Amino acid sequence: MDLAALRTLFDRQLRLDARPDGPGARVERDGLVVRQTGPAHGWNGILWSGLGADDADAAVAAQIRYYEAAGRSFEWKLYGHDGPADLAARLLAAGFVPEDRETVMVAEAAAVSAPVDLPDGVELCPVTDEAGVRMVVEVHDRAFGTDSSDLGRRLLDQLADAPGTAVAVVALADGAPVSTARLELPPDADFAGLYGGGTVEPWRGRGLYRALVAHRARIAAAHGYRYLQVDAQDTSRPILARLGFAELTTTTPYVYEV
């Protein structure tokens, strides 16, 4: 893969020309900034910016004013190749709080879609209704130790109003949910997105993460997507590298609470 060309394609399709990621959301361009605004339980934030040293502070202040007026906390999704070079420091000075840096990794969907054997007693079930969404939320709460109710509401919105843009799957061990993952299928893009990938403690290290990556890769390829992209935490980055994913850039969420 030509990573420089892929990074340019990634920026154009998923950031500069991004589509709303769910019902009730809208994407708009404000000068050299592309942002998404949606419901309180949705994702609100900055998708792309093309700022320089002379206009960065004013643009940051303008986005703060915009989201404060909308009553929305928001995230500035800062990528490692974004400018200006000191944009992170400018965001900190403006009151943003950084979360953990992640590595954006990419792979050709067909290259990582080989089936992976599941442990005995485990089956993968598609999420198609409210009961399935409750299992997704349960696994996320247990795996990540966070309140995932907003995720559940977003997923219900997508299943009801935009069913072709997201896929979720739950791994059941003897009928109990133990792992889950999601696949985003943005329209008119070459990249499908991997999200979630949470497994409860007793079932970690038994191949479920790899199986869910391969499962979603097959779905993405069947829908015509050439590439997979994922914001990888340090725990999953080595696994993805062994599966054939390459590092494209980094991304750090900078959060502004309203």
Side-chain angles (χ1 to χ4, degrees):
M1 293 185 294
D2 182 340
L3 293 181
L6 273 182
R7 187 161 51 243
T8 299
L9 185 66
F10 174 90
D11 280 347
R12 177 170 59 81
Q13 291 188 347
L14 299 186
R15 303 182 65 203
L16 185 58
D17 297 334
R19 302 289 189 88
D21 70 356
R26 68 180 185 275
V27 171
E28 56 194 1
R29 184 162 183 167
D30 179 27
L32 294 174
V33 171
V34 176
R35 66 191 177 209
Q36 175 170 296
T37 309
H41 63 272
W43 187 85
N44 290 268
I46 308 305
L47 293 157
W48 174 88
S49 64
L51 305 175
D54 293 337
D55 53 18
D57 288 339
V60 169
Q63 300 314 307
I64 291 174
R65 290 194 299 271
Y66 170 81
Y67 282 103
E68 285 181 336
R72 296 283 186 267
S73 297
F74 72 107
E75 173 185 311
W76 194 297
K77 196 165 173 58
L78 179 64
Y79 288 81
H81 57 287
D82 288 346
D86 63 348
L87 183 52
R90 294 170 186 259
L91 293 172
L92 287 172
F96 288 80
V97 177
E99 296 184 345
D100 292 340
R101 186 177 71 173
E102 297 175 321
T103 303
V104 181
M105 305 187 76
V106 294
E108 292 191 354
V112 295
S113 61
V116 176
D117 291 336
L118 293 166
D120 290 341
V122 175
E123 60 178 338
L124 300 184
C125 296
V127 173
T128 60
D129 56 19
E130 188 173 352
V133 171
R134 284 198 298 269
M135 289 193 291
V136 170
V137 171
E138 176 188 338
V139 171
H140 266 260
D141 286 348
R142 293 172 60 194
F144 300 116
T146 57
D147 180 356
S148 301
S149 55
D150 282 350
L151 166 63
R153 293 182 65 187
R154 291 196 301 271
L155 187 52
L156 283 172
D157 288 347
Q158 287 178 302
L159 291 175
D161 299 325
T165 62
V167 172
V169 61
V170 174
L172 302 177
D174 297 322
V178 296
S179 187
T180 186
R182 308 188 315 282
L183 175 69
E184 298 285 338
L185 301 169
D188 302 320
D190 293 295
F191 299 86
L194 303 183
Y195 295 91
T199 302
V200 301
E201 181 66 39
W203 283 89
R204 293 174 185 167
R206 301 175 66 173
L208 290 180
Y209 184 87
R210 290 183 292 112
L212 289 170
V213 168
H215 177 76
R216 288 174 290 169
R218 292 193 296 275
I219 295 173
H223 281 78
Y225 289 84
R226 182 173 180 183
Y227 302 108
L228 298 173
Q229 64 88 15
V230 55
D231 294 349
Q233 298 178 346
D234 288 344
T235 51
S236 55
R237 180 168 49 83
I239 303 172
L240 291 165
R242 289 194 293 271
L243 293 176
F245 283 75
E247 297 184 8
L248 189 67
T249 184
T250 61
T251 183
T252 305
Y254 282 77
V255 178
Y256 191 95
E257 295 290 346
V258 172

